[in-house]
Amino acid sequence: MVQVTPFLLVLCLALVAPGLSARKCVLTGKWINDLGSTMIIEAVDNSGNFNGVYHTAVTATSNKIQESPLQGSQHLTNQKSQPTFGFTVNWTFSDSVTVFTGQCFVDKNGKEVLKTMWLLRSDVDTIQDDWKATR
């Protein structure tokens, strides 16, 4: 019986290890970026849609920063373990909207990381000022 125990342990580790390396990245929860902005994503539904709130730590306006609603969608095809997603933040304290697109990764240490790009559209008074409305 003593000789069987190490074999069972090795067999158990061999069966469990593949599951550890294929850990899924989950968008739901609280995220904090390197500038201190926070985002909370509520449950992702069966269609990949989600809602949440974003509280930015940085702004170009002098208005008081407030928590702002976000709406988004996660790509669900084949239930990828590191899904792509996009969301829109409708800023409650300024006349602007930001769209984000990105992917959720699990790094080699098992930490979930979001990598995103964004575009911010601000309100301008005339079509001639359109050139300065998107950052």
Side-chain angles (χ1 to χ4, degrees), residues 37-93:
S37 298
T38 59
M39 172 176 69
I40 298 173
I41 296 178
E42 298 167 1
V44 178
D45 70 19
N46 291 336
S47 298
N49 301 313
F50 58 87
N51 293 304
V53 292
Y54 199 104
H55 190 268
T56 186
V58 295
T59 183
T61 180
S62 59
N63 297 341
K64 181 181 180 214
I65 295 174
Q66 299 174 18
E67 196 171 77
S68 299
L70 69 83
Q71 293 181 318
S73 183
Q74 172 183 320
H75 197 255
L76 294 177
T77 303
N78 298 327
Q79 297 295 316
K80 301 281 185 183
S81 62
Q82 300 188 123
T84 56
F85 61 90
F87 61 90
T88 301
V89 178
N90 185 8
W91 301 111
T92 57
F93 59 91

Side-chain angles (χ1 to χ4, degrees), residues 100-120:
F100 292 79
T101 186
Q103 187 169 357
C104 187
F105 292 99
V106 177
D107 71 12
K108 63 183 179 183
N109 298 319
K111 181 180 177 186
E112 294 170 317
V113 177
L114 301 183
K115 289 294 187 177
T116 63
M117 295 293 291
W118 56 267
L119 287 173
L120 179 135

